[in-house]
Amino acid sequence: HGVGEQRFIKREEGITYRIRFQNVGNYSARDVYISDELPEGLDPQSIRDILSSHQHTYTVEGRKLKVQYRNIELPDSASDMEGSNGFFEFKIDFLINAPAGTVARNQASIVFDFNEPIITNTVMQTLAVAASENPDEVIIYPNPTRTDIFIINPFEGDVTLRLISLSGTITERNLSKASILHIPTAEFNRGFYLVELVDEFGNLRKGKLVLID
């Protein structure tokens, strides 16, 4: 999960990982083992909200999460397609001192009985900018930027976004409810902009944006 190509998330949201596995061999798998070397920016001690398809045990040693499924006799996919699947899910936080922009790339290895490890796809999340101490300021990141921007939405419903250039040109967008707003910037000239975010009740937040070449 996350917003945009960088998969930005707020610090307080945490990251939810779901590691899926399936026995595509010719026989049932008695045991399944998962190993996950957690990214440097994450706090292994914050692991919580665990869900699993089967009975298991798990340990955390340093940054390594190990999950064991013993004697589960996982069917092979040819004999039981639905029953051949399983998953382990958990939630984890960024370290309290991880700076904004910290990128967490994660993958896990899965072993069925004594077979070679299967490596999962790599997933990525990026820690978003923290909320400003000024409650009236719009939080925009990255800023300055050459690319698209993301805005933390302080309002609950739909909002109107205005970008005002130094020449006074106003560009307005009506945006649906979202906690983080993704704004493409390719159509805008490079330069300085005032940013206004207005909710349906007329509440206003302001910020500044610099688009660079």
Side-chain angles (χ1 to χ4, degrees):
H1 66 293
V3 176
E5 291 184 3
Q6 300 301 311
R7 297 289 184 255
F8 285 106
I9 65 168
K10 298 178 183 178
R11 187 184 299 273
E12 61 270 21
E13 289 179 335
I15 300 175
T16 298
Y17 290 120
R18 173 170 283 208
I19 303 169
R20 302 177 187 272
F21 53 90
Q22 183 181 24
N23 178 13
V24 295
N26 298 318
Y27 305 96
S28 64
R30 180 178 181 182
D31 304 320
V32 179
Y33 305 95
I34 296 174
S35 180
D36 186 350
E37 186 73 30
L38 299 167
E40 289 288 339
L42 303 185
D43 179 7
Q45 301 306 311
S46 69
I47 290 176
R48 61 193 186 282
D49 297 348
I50 292 172
L51 296 173
S52 181
S53 57
H54 298 78
Q55 287 246 333
H56 68 281
T57 60
Y58 81 94
T59 59
V60 180
E61 301 172 2
R63 308 204 63 78
K64 181 161 286 188
L65 168 66
K66 295 181 178 180
V67 185
Q68 293 187 337
Y69 294 93
R70 304 298 300 270
N71 301 314
I72 63 170
E73 297 295 343
L74 191 70
D76 62 88
S77 57
S79 61
D80 184 353
M81 177 61 73
E82 183 176 353
S84 67
N85 290 276
F87 71 89
F88 181 80
E89 179 178 302
F90 65 98
K91 190 168 186 176
I92 189 170
D93 293 329
F94 279 95
L95 289 166
I96 192 66
N97 60 351
T102 295
V103 177
R105 291 184 175 87
N106 194 23
Q107 62 179 191
S109 67
I110 303 167
V111 174
F112 295 89
D113 292 329
F114 301 103
N115 294 298
E116 290 296 313
I118 297 171
I119 307 302
T120 67
N121 294 332
T122 300
V123 294
M124 179 189 79
Q125 278 79 27
T126 304
L127 180 58
V129 177
S132 170
E133 295 180 359
N134 179 357
D136 294 326
E137 181 180 352
V138 173
I139 305 302
I140 305 168
Y141 57 92
N143 189 17
T145 183
R146 297 180 176 85
T147 61
D148 295 357
I149 59 172
F150 299 87
I151 299 176
I152 295 180
N153 182 9
F155 302 122
E156 294 296 327
D158 296 346
V159 294
T160 298
L161 172 71
R162 299 192 191 103
L163 275 76
I164 307 169
S165 70
L166 287 179
S167 65
T169 301
I170 300 175
T171 302
E172 191 168 284
R173 296 282 187 275
N174 294 318
L175 304 172
S176 300
K177 176 182 178 181
S179 62
I180 300 179
L181 306 171
H182 174 206
I183 313 298
T185 64
E187 67 182 277
F188 299 111
N189 294 327
R190 306 296 92 175
F192 179 88
Y193 290 84
L194 295 175
V195 179
E196 294 183 347
L197 204 61
V198 185
D199 73 359
E200 55 190 330
F201 303 106
N203 297 307
L204 174 66
R205 298 289 186 272
K206 296 182 178 181
K208 299 173 183 177
L209 169 66
V210 179
L211 298 179
I212 58 178
D213 293 321

